[in-house]
Amino acid sequence: MTLDTEPDLSDFSQIDFSNGAVAAVSGGSDSTALLLLLKAHLDRTAPATKLLAVTIDHQLRPQAAAEAKAVARLCAARGIAHRLLAWSGHKPSTGLPAAAREARYRLLAEAAEAAGIGLILTGHTADDQAETVLMRQARDERPSDGGPSDAGPGDAGQSDDGPRDERRGLAGMAPATLYDWRHWIVRPLLGVRRAALREFLRRKQVAWAEDPTNADTAFERPRIRAALGDGDGAPRVAEAMALARKAAVEREQLGHGAAMLIRSFASRPAAGLVRLDRDFATDGDSRAAIYALRILLAATGGTAFLPDQARSEALFDRLRSGPLCATLSRSVVDARRTGIFLHRELRDLPPAVAVSNNALWDGRRRITLGDNSGALLIAPLLVAPLGAALAAKRAIAGPGTSASLVRAALAAEPALWRDGECLGLPGEGPMPAAVAAYPAVAPFARFLPCFDLAPADAVAALLGAAPIPAAPFGGHSAGLPRAKA
């Protein structure tokens, strides 16, 4: 398999544009080419489709405003709706690339929401994918400095593709990722080289912006990019893409195995409490069982990252030996004769915060406000843990589940408070439809790569979370967008 030298439009034909599309356009070559290719495809196949180009000004470089205006002029000349959004306010002194990525996706999602569109397209290329895979391979999944290009107009920013584990890095960026459990982010150009896109723009006589920080070798990604630009760059890109395809297939297969175990052995006897049959630890596929355990620990503890692989393996070995009580990833693991129980530990729970719509509380619960919430929110209304004392009054043990376990799980659940008085759990009290708290699948709540759909769906069903929105593409497999032979 070799990468083609021309942009491959076949990926667009796999995408469902019936609800429109938001194109993330920074003004760099990749996103500019994406916009023009997408516009041409829609003009041919679905001219009535709503297309919105969105440019994010991170307000980190003085040139960004002029580059955004250039995108606006390009869109106006081609009859494309355009919005410019700014990342305003305080910028962190550390972790700036990650914060800029989060702000970028948040603003893109807000623009899509306002336009009634659930699909966002980005211009990540085969070069970006190869850079990402080689960076993660070299760093063995250590956190990256990312480089300032992640926050600039260039198209090379890394993506936050789901919970970090040993398979995440080598699989690279997913062809599609669900953001915030609501908006699909699709990357249709992952099989296309940047050089091909730039040649396409030259033929169209369309200019693009160059971010000088993309060449600043003080950062990791520009160094990898420079290395791939030498004489043996093409073979290295092809090798990295092949490695990513192989890792993605393995990751999806492992996810299917984990999902099967979760559906077969896991149950939810009470809010915040997960029970695993004792046979879970003795099932033949220990690799899939450890992966399932890691996902369930992260979901129970509300953590965005999976727990450490080595510590999880050690815990799994102990589970096979007999009863134990341990903590990992903010979760209590209580293995008894009646089953293996997981619940959120009571330390490091969030302090009381004002109720707000669509807030992710403790990484585990999505707080939403109903249409009749106005009267209830006239006086300050807070969300905070129920606490052990109130949980003791409410806990009801079920078959095979002790009251102590139910109490411990319930104590960590979010409750509504006002003036120091508990009004009950969301959905209860004087206005039961005013505030709700829905389970969130913590490790996938913000970013769910399409590689991980099977285990995420299994955990969502287990916890009673909202189902995964239908993917806006067809014929998906674990592999990356295909490259021509």
Side-chain angles (χ1 to χ4, degrees), residues 119 172 186 296 302 331 335 393 425 431 471:
L119 175 63
V186 178
L296 289 172
S331 295
K393 299 178 181 179
L425 299 176
M431 298 180 66

Side-chain angles (χ1 to χ4, degrees), residues 39-66:
K39 179 67 163 66
H41 171 78
L42 294 177
D43 285 347
R44 289 193 307 271
T45 62
T49 298
K50 180 188 292 187
L51 173 60
L52 174 64
V54 176
T55 303
I56 308 300
D57 180 359
H58 296 84
Q59 298 189 337
L60 296 174
R61 298 184 302 112
Q63 304 92 332

Side-chain angles (χ1 to χ4, degrees), residues 114-137:
I117 297 172
L119 175 63
I120 300 167
L121 279 76
T122 67
H124 294 98
T125 67
D127 298 74
D128 298 322
Q129 184 72 298
E131 293 161 11
T132 298
V133 170
L134 292 175
M135 285 165 57
R136 292 174 179 173
Q137 184 182 41

Side-chain angles (χ1 to χ4, degrees), residues 128-389:
D128 298 322
Q129 184 72 298
E131 293 161 11
T132 298
V133 170
L134 292 175
M135 285 165 57
R136 292 174 179 173
Q137 184 182 41
R139 290 183 280 115
D140 192 27
E141 289 287 50
R142 292 192 302 274
S144 170
D145 61 13
S149 63
D150 289 345
D155 303 293
Q158 295 184 82
S159 63
D160 292 304
D161 261 341
R164 181 174 296 147
D165 76 307
E166 67 282 353
R167 281 158 299 281
R168 172 185 179 268
L170 298 186
M173 293 181 283
T177 298
L178 185 65
Y179 173 75
D180 212 24
W181 211 257
R182 292 184 297 170
H183 301 281
W184 280 102
I185 300 170
V186 178
R187 305 176 177 100
L189 301 180
L190 280 182
V192 184
R193 292 299 305 272
R194 178 172 295 117
L197 295 174
R198 293 189 169 190
E199 180 57 30
F200 164 76
L201 292 177
R202 292 188 188 99
R203 291 199 304 269
K204 295 292 183 181
Q205 298 184 334
V206 175
W208 63 85
E210 291 281 7
D211 181 354
T213 57
N214 282 334
D216 186 352
T217 55
F219 296 95
E220 184 178 23
R221 184 176 289 271
R223 290 197 299 271
I224 295 291
R225 179 171 300 169
L228 291 177
D230 60 22
D232 65 345
R236 292 189 67 192
V237 170
E239 290 171 6
M241 294 289 285
L243 180 62
R245 290 188 185 91
K246 181 175 182 292
V249 170
E250 293 175 349
R251 174 166 159 176
E252 187 163 311
Q253 291 173 343
L254 186 65
H256 278 287
M260 183 179 67
L261 292 173
I262 291 169
R263 294 186 185 278
S264 299
F265 295 109
S267 59
R268 183 168 55 101
L273 185 64
V274 170
R275 178 187 178 274
L276 294 169
D277 293 347
R278 293 294 316 189
D279 291 342
F280 170 84
T282 58
D283 185 78
D285 190 352
S286 60
R287 187 165 173 263
I290 292 170
Y291 190 44
L293 177 63
R294 296 174 70 199
I295 293 172
L296 289 172
L297 285 168
T300 302
T303 61
F305 296 142
L306 302 187
D308 177 73
Q309 174 77 20
R311 294 183 66 188
S312 301
E313 290 174 353
L315 174 61
F316 185 75
D317 286 341
R318 292 176 63 194
L319 289 174
R320 304 175 88 169
S321 302
L324 68 87
C325 189
T327 59
L328 182 60
S329 198
R330 305 202 314 187
S331 295
V332 175
V333 182
D334 193 333
R336 306 182 176 195
R337 179 184 55 81
T338 54
I340 302 167
F341 295 89
L342 312 178
H343 61 83
R344 172 70 161 94
E345 62 178 332
L346 294 181
R347 67 174 182 171
D348 298 327
L349 286 166
V353 294
V355 170
S356 60
N357 192 35
N358 201 39
L360 188 61
W361 184 85
D362 196 39
R364 300 180 292 127
R365 298 291 182 266
R366 183 78 64 181
I367 308 297
T368 61
L369 302 180
D371 294 336
N372 62 338
S373 60
L376 187 62
L377 300 179
I378 292 175
L381 185 66
L382 304 177
V383 58
L386 180 64

